[in-house]
Amino acid sequence: MAERMLQFVRLSQQTPDKRAATERKADFGEIYQRFSAERAGEQASRCSQCGVPFCSIHCPLNNNIPDWLKLTAEGRLEEAYEVSSATNTFPEICGRVCPQDRLCEGNCVIEKGFDSVTIGAVEKYITDTAWEQGWVKPPKPAREVEHSVGIIGAGPAGLAAAERLRLRGWKVTVYDRYDRVGGLMIYGIPNFKLEKEVVLRRHAQYAEAGIEFVLNCRIGQDISLAELRAKHDAVLIATGVYKARDIGGPGSDLAGIVPALDYLTASNRENLGDHVPEFVDGTLNAAGKRVVVIGGGDTAMDCVRTAIRQGAAAVTCLYRRDKANMPGSMREVSNAEEEGVTFSWLSAPEGFEGQEGRVSGVRAVKMHLGLPDATGRQQVEPIPGSGFTEPADLVIKALGFDPEDLPTLFGEPGLTVSRWGTLTIDRRSMMTKLEGVFAAGDIVRGASLVVWGIRDGRDAAEQIESYVLARKAAAASPAMAAE
């Protein structure tokens, strides 16, 4: 083992420098500076190179984290990138948006006494350097094959599968209903977490590699699923989940109450230079408004921090549990607090007040944590007589996402769904009830992380290839026997 490793006893944890809150909340640029080569090497050298790497075990991609940390500490950056990209289709994106505090870093062996290794920041440094040095190559195959796949959805799962199959010589066509590639990475995640050029350059690279993209294409309207099945050897459904969970109660139909994804998409489109009428007329613009965001996940954090940057007069996040039980990344909560967001913990909305048809406030009640439920999570119960009203000119509902009704949208009743609305598949083959039609990502597992989408897309590519090769071999067998 190199003498450079196990430096956690000598070197303290250091994260990349962060722009001051007063500076960063005035724009949508990424808030973390990049590691210098020296700092990246030092932080990578803190890895203990443990025999059972819990960082890898708790990474959905089982990334070989200790290996590329060691290579980084030794200054072997190109090799570090090769190891990192061997298991991860988008390490530059995971380094930015993964909740490392809940995954790899949160399970780092040295975390309890010495603070974890800054895995995400080193991963980002490795891949950003690789792009600059030209080490990131388009997935061009050594030889072409006659197999064809149609992929519905240009998000993390769809793109990960496309990259895997194209590298093996497949003809890959990706269909997406939006006008840009990336799914929620392009329209859901704000620039201060993931600058859009990071996603757009992957689109350009994949197009250069021969992957065909058919955008502004709605399956079931512009082309049917039956037509895709006839055109391709296999079809992968990787649409993600986009249907916003709603909240009822008195006044829920007032103007000024909007879904989180509509709000974030408008902001991201505006930052990309698109003309967005709903942003211009103020419907989806927080400038000068008292904003209340309902929810406690990463989407809620994206909304509150976007509202701050749009110049909101005040931003409050209502969450029915306490800070310790918040599902979002604690790093994001800390950043939001630094930028001026107010958190109203243990507060649940009951209804909305309005004036002249527009929302003017959120009626809420204080909660307390009770006994654990069947999942082990503490139940929340209202405190009698604790009602209050939070003033609001714009209310953003960030309560999570459910699947759309794909059998109806696609005009294909043969697609079966679970009681949650997700597509049902054979868990081994990843195939739906329709022969040759596979599914992966959030449309199967429910709203989840980018890294899980990548994992599912890569796994689906393996299953699709096995299925098509076996089917074609079986079809060729009688002909071979006749000869």
Side-chain angles (χ1 to χ4, degrees), residues 209-479:
I211 296 174
E212 181 183 357
F213 290 93
V214 181
L215 303 179
N216 295 306
C217 179
R218 290 183 174 273
I219 310 303
Q221 295 181 20
D222 302 310
I223 189 170
S224 69
L225 184 59
E227 289 175 300
L228 290 186
R229 295 178 70 190
K231 182 178 180 180
H232 301 287
D233 294 313
V235 173
L236 172 65
I237 300 174
T239 56
V241 292
Y242 286 86
K243 181 182 175 183
R245 291 177 186 158
D246 209 348
I247 184 171
S252 58
D253 58 345
L254 289 166
I257 304 174
V258 301
L261 188 56
D262 289 359
Y263 173 70
L264 292 173
T265 299
S267 178
N268 280 314
R269 281 192 176 278
E270 197 273 337
N271 284 327
L272 283 162
D274 294 352
H275 174 65
V276 186
E278 297 84 359
F279 182 87
V280 174
D281 66 20
T283 302
L284 298 174
N285 185 349
K289 297 177 180 176
R290 298 167 300 176
V291 178
V292 173
V293 176
I294 301 172
D298 288 334
T299 300
M301 295 306 95
D302 292 345
C303 290
V304 295
R305 298 180 66 201
T306 294
I308 287 286
R309 285 158 174 76
Q310 290 179 348
V315 181
T316 301
C317 178
L318 290 184
Y319 182 55
R320 63 182 186 146
R321 300 180 186 272
D322 60 5
K323 186 174 182 179
N325 284 280
M326 200 169 189
S329 166
M330 286 297 104
R331 193 173 296 166
E332 290 299 302
V333 175
S334 175
N335 287 332
E337 288 175 328
E338 291 174 3
E339 292 164 7
V341 175
T342 299
F343 285 87
S344 182
W345 306 112
L346 292 166
S347 301
E350 289 188 319
F352 305 90
E353 296 181 355
Q355 296 178 355
E356 299 179 353
R358 288 198 60 85
V359 70
S360 62
V362 180
R363 292 207 308 268
V365 62
K366 299 301 290 185
M367 312 292 284
H368 73 86
L369 296 175
L371 296 173
D373 60 18
T375 67
R377 198 176 191 197
Q378 285 179 282
Q379 301 177 66
V380 288
E381 300 169 354
I383 300 174
S386 64
F388 67 99
T389 299
E390 186 68 42
D393 307 306
L394 176 65
V395 177
I396 302 171
K397 300 174 291 185
L399 302 167
F401 303 98
D402 288 323
E404 296 162 288
D405 182 2
L406 288 195
T408 299
L409 284 178
F410 289 1
E412 183 49 76
L415 288 173
T416 58
V417 299
S418 69
R419 61 191 177 100
W420 299 282
T422 53
L423 289 183
T424 56
I425 59 172
D426 181 293
R427 292 291 170 172
R428 290 193 175 187
S429 68
M430 301 184 73
M431 192 187 300
T432 67
K433 295 293 185 180
L434 297 178
E435 183 73 18
V437 178
F438 298 76
D442 288 3
I443 194 59
V444 174
R445 68 168 62 245
S448 189
L449 303 172
V450 168
V451 67
W452 274 114
I454 296 170
R455 169 63 184 269
D456 291 347
R458 292 170 71 99
D459 287 349
E462 299 291 335
Q463 296 303 323
I464 289 169
E465 184 169 57
S466 296
Y467 165 80
V468 171
L469 292 179
R471 189 174 179 215
K472 291 194 172 184
S477 294

Side-chain angles (χ1 to χ4, degrees), residues 185-201:
M185 296 187 296
I186 200 80
Y187 287 134
I189 301 175
N191 281 24
F192 51 79
K193 286 171 62 176
L194 177 60
E195 290 183 346
K196 297 303 168 259
E197 176 55 32
V198 175
V199 182
L200 294 174
R201 68 187 179 190

